[in-house]
Amino acid sequence: MNLSKVESSGIGIVHLGVGAFFRAFVLPQLQEMAQNLSANDISGWGILGVSFRSAGVRNRLAKNNFCYHAVQISGSGYDIVEINTLSTVYFLQEQRAKVMQALISPELKMVTLTVSEKGYHYSTNTQSINWNNLQIQKDLACPSIPNSVPGLLTLALKNRREMGLPSFACVSCDNLVANGRVLRKVVLDLARRIDPDLAHWIDENTPFPCTMVDRIVPATKPEEVRKISKLTVWKDPAPVFHEPFRQWIIEDCFGSLSCPPLESVGVIFTKDVKPYEQMKLRLLNATHSAIAYLGQLLNKNTVFEAVQDPEIVDFIEYLWELELCPSLEESPDINLGKYTQRLMARYQNPALEHETIQIAMDGSQKIQPRILAPIRSNLLAGRPTSGLSLVVAAWIKFLVEKDANGRMQEIVDPLQESLLKAIRQKNPVDSILDIREIFGKDLRQDERFVKSVSETFVSMSQFGMRTCLKHFLEDSGAH
Ligand code: CS2
C-alpha cells in the first residue's frame, strides 16, 4: 500500500509520549494547521514522536509508514480523518542516538509532551522533583543515558548549550496544575544537581509555557479497530477515537523562539492560562474522577452509563454548584453554567464508551490537582468539602474492593505498592491518608477533612455506595 505521506523538510517539533491523546488531539491540529499553510511555511514544522514505555505503538504505526486514522465519534456516527504528517516514531530504549540527534537538530523549535501526570516525577508535597523515585536516582547517577522525561530534556538541553545551539521550548500538554511551571521545576532541579551553570542557562533560555488541553479520548478497543478497518481503504492497527470537542490554550511566552501558527485552527495563545486550566481540571477532570470511582462502585462501566443514573447526575451537579465552581480562584471569561451544561452533554455522548476504569487509574496522581486542590481552597475559605471528601472515600473504597476481589492488578498507579500496603492495614483510611506524597502534612492534619473521609468510608462500607450516596444527597438538599 502506497500511503500518501506528507513529508515536511526539517523536524521542528519532537513529541514525547506517543499515546492516544497525542494522536487524537495534538497531531490532528498540527496537521490541520499545516493544511492551512503554504508549502513554504510548513517547511520546518515536521513532527517526530518518541515513545518511552514500549515499542508497541511505534511498531504498529510503522506498519503504515506512521500514518493512522483519527476517528471522531458522535451521535451522528464516525468522521474519519487520515493523519499523515507524523514523520516517524522512535522508541527511546532502542533508538537513543536517533532521539538525541532529533533533539539537537538546529531546526528543532519545540518539544511537546503528553506523558501523563506520573511522567513528570514531581512531588506536590515537596514541590520539587521526586528524588525518591528510582528512575530519577538512576538518571542522576548516569545523566548520559536518561530514561525519565526530565532526564532526557536535561541532557538534550545540555548538548545544545555545548554545541552553541539555541534552546527549544518545552510545551507540556498534560493535566497538571501549572504544567509548564512543574516541567520547568523538575528539569531545573535535575540540571542543578548535574551542572549549576547548565541550570542557569536553561533558566535564561528555555520557555516552559503552561497549557490547557481538552478532548475526551477513550482507549481504543479491539472491536473498534476491527470496525474501522472495514470502513477505511487501508488496514490500520492503530486508529484513535475521540469526541468532537477540543480546546487548547497555550501561554504566550516563547520569547525569541518561534511557535507554530496554531491560531489558524482555533488554539488560543494567552498571557495567563491559569483560569482556563483551573476551570478544566476542577470542573471536568474532578467530576470525571468522581464519576469513575462512584461509577466503579455502582457497576457503571462507562461514563455514559454513569450519567444515566439520576443520583450520580445530582451528585455531579451538587459538586459543580457548591464545591467546584466556588473553589475557582479566577475564572476565564466563560459562563460556567453553560460550560458545565456542555460538560454534561459531552459525558452523555452515547457513542464514546469512555470506560470508568480508564479514568480510575493513576488515582494517587489525579486526585491531587482535581480533588485535593479544590478541597484545600474550600477549607481555607470555610466552604463545604463533604462532596469532594466523599470522592476521596470512594477512591479508597474502590482500591479496597479491587484488592478484596483479587483484582488489584487492574489498578494501574505509580504508587501501587504503597497503596496496596496501606489498604491492607487495620484502618485503611488512616494509612492511605498517611501517604505524604498524596495528602501532604496539611490535609493529614486537618480534622474536618480526615473526619469527613473516615466517616463517609465507614458509611460506604456499612450501607453500600448507593445508600451512602442517597444519604449524602438528602443531607445536602441536592435531591
Ligand atoms: C480523564 C482525562 O482519564 C482521565 O483522567 O479525566 O483524560 C480527560 O478525558 C481529559 O483530560 C479530557 O480533556
Side-chain angles (χ1 to χ4, degrees):
M1 172 69 54
N2 199 2
L3 292 171
S4 56
K5 181 84 176 278
V6 177
E7 294 289 356
S8 16
S9 59
I11 297 297
I13 304 172
V14 168
H15 184 87
L16 309 184
V18 193
F21 191 75
F22 163 65
R23 289 182 288 130
F25 178 82
V26 178
L27 201 51
Q29 293 187 78
L30 288 167
Q31 174 159 310
E32 263 177 53
M33 175 199 84
Q35 283 159 354
N36 294 341
L37 294 175
S38 67
N40 219 5
D41 292 336
I42 54 165
S43 86
W45 286 117
I47 310 140
L48 177 154
V50 178
S51 163
F52 274 72
R53 278 187 300 194
S54 80
V57 70
R58 178 204 57 189
N59 297 346
R60 281 197 303 281
L61 287 167
K63 291 200 169 122
N64 290 308
N65 196 16
F66 302 97
C67 296
Y68 65 91
H69 297 95
V71 184
Q72 179 168 299
I73 12 182
S74 65
S76 51
Y78 290 151
D79 185 357
I80 306 176
V81 173
E82 191 182 303
I83 304 292
N84 52 15
T85 34
L86 182 59
S87 289
T88 190
V89 173
Y90 295 138
F91 173 41
L92 180 66
Q93 308 281 332
E94 288 173 6
Q95 292 164 295
R96 262 177 205 288
K98 287 193 164 153
V99 170
M100 196 40 75
Q101 214 177 347
L103 289 170
I104 58 170
S105 148
E107 296 194 301
L108 181 68
K109 294 177 259 314
M110 72 191 220
V111 173
T112 48
L113 300 87
T114 50
V115 291
S116 87
E117 295 86 343
K118 59 188 168 203
Y120 291 77
H121 303 290
Y122 178 73
S123 158
T124 34
N125 184 30
T126 58
Q127 302 202 345
S128 65
I129 198 166
N130 183 1
W131 295 114
N132 295 328
N133 182 276
L134 208 63
Q135 191 122 77
I136 295 301
Q137 289 173 0
K138 281 189 188 157
D139 284 4
L140 185 60
C142 187
S144 57
I145 311 176
N147 283 307
S148 72
V149 170
L152 181 66
L153 288 175
T154 305
L155 179 64
L157 291 166
K158 175 176 181 285
N159 290 342
R160 289 183 82 89
R161 175 176 177 244
E162 285 167 3
M163 292 165 76
L165 289 172
S167 177
F168 47 71
C170 296
V171 186
S172 162
C173 303
D174 281 298
N175 283 320
L176 306 169
V177 173
N179 54 14
R181 309 277 177 282
V182 166
L183 182 58
R184 179 173 181 277
K185 180 72 179 130
V186 291
V187 169
L188 284 178
D189 280 348
L190 193 63
R192 216 167 274 128
R193 289 263 181 111
I194 294 169
D195 172 3
D197 287 344
L198 168 66
H200 184 70
W201 184 85
I202 297 175
D203 195 20
E204 302 256 288
N205 293 286
T206 310
F208 290 91
C210 288
T211 67
M212 184 272 250
V213 290
D214 187 7
R215 170 167 268 178
I216 296 174
V217 180
T220 304
K221 298 171 197 67
E223 62 274 19
E224 281 174 329
V225 177
R226 282 193 291 276
K227 229 192 270 176
I228 286 303
S229 70
K230 294 198 182 109
L231 302 173
T232 53
V233 180
W234 43 276
K235 204 166 172 258
D236 183 358
V240 285
F241 295 80
H242 61 79
E243 64 167 341
F245 183 90
R246 72 177 190 209
Q247 193 175 28
W248 195 356
I249 317 276
I250 303 180
E251 187 183 2
D252 192 2
C253 66
F254 287 77
S256 58
L257 297 179
S258 42
C259 170
L262 282 158
E263 300 90 336
S264 66
V265 291
V267 174
I268 297 176
F269 286 86
T270 170
K271 281 272 153 270
D272 191 7
V273 173
K274 186 174 169 197
Y276 292 95
E277 164 222 286
Q278 217 178 55
M279 173 185 75
K280 193 258 170 169
L281 275 169
R282 295 191 184 183
L283 303 187
L284 189 160
N285 295 112
T287 52
H288 243 179
S289 290
I291 288 171
Y293 299 123
L294 268 67
Q296 279 285 310
L297 294 170
L298 294 169
N299 293 320
K300 311 286 178 194
N301 288 329
T302 65
V303 172
F304 172 74
E305 271 176 44
V307 295
Q308 298 312 297
D309 183 320
E311 281 165 351
I312 295 186
V313 172
D314 283 350
F315 180 65
I316 297 305
E317 281 173 352
Y318 160 87
L319 284 181
W320 277 329
E321 192 185 334
L322 281 126
E323 299 194 18
L324 292 168
C325 288
S327 83
L328 299 180
E329 284 139 30
E330 307 149 51
S331 51
D333 198 12
I334 285 178
N335 178 322
L336 295 182
K338 286 207 177 115
Y339 182 80
T340 53
Q341 239 176 17
R342 179 138 194 211
L343 283 181
M344 190 50 87
R346 288 167 67 191
Y347 298 165
Q348 284 166 342
N349 180 345
L352 263 189
E353 294 188 33
H354 194 189
E355 292 190 344
T356 47
I357 193 74
Q358 181 190 343
I359 304 171
M361 70 178 219
D362 288 344
S364 70
Q365 313 298 298
K366 289 179 180 176
I367 66 162
Q368 298 184 49
R370 303 173 179 205
I371 308 291
L372 304 184
I375 287 183
R376 283 193 171 93
S377 310
N378 288 355
L379 285 172
L380 263 176
R383 285 186 296 262
T385 55
S386 51
L388 291 167
S389 301
L390 185 148
V391 180
V392 177
W395 170 57
I396 303 174
K397 186 78 185 126
F398 158 81
L399 296 173
V400 169
E401 285 208 351
K402 279 271 178 272
D403 190 35
N405 297 334
R407 298 178 66 185
M408 198 62 187
Q409 76 285 357
E410 280 174 26
I411 298 174
V412 180
D413 196 297
L415 296 188
Q416 195 188 42
E417 236 171 82
S418 319
L419 295 176
L420 202 57
K421 207 164 139 209
I423 56 171
R424 289 180 178 168
Q425 301 300 310
K426 212 163 138 237
N427 185 336
V429 175
D430 264 348
S431 315
I432 291 267
L433 296 184
D434 274 341
I435 306 178
R436 276 282 153 85
E437 259 176 275
I438 308 175
F439 294 96
K441 198 167 158 195
D442 61 332
L443 282 180
R444 180 63 182 117
Q445 289 180 347
D446 192 296
E447 277 175 28
R448 292 163 297 175
F449 170 71
V450 173
K451 188 164 177 272
S452 180
V453 177
S454 308
E455 287 180 358
T456 316
F457 181 84
V458 169
S459 145
M460 263 175 212
S461 307
Q462 241 174 357
F463 308 113
M465 183 68 236
R466 177 62 69 191
T467 309
C468 178
L469 180 58
K470 276 190 202 300
H471 285 169
F472 179 86
L473 293 172
E474 274 157 22
D475 292 350
S476 63
H479 229 350

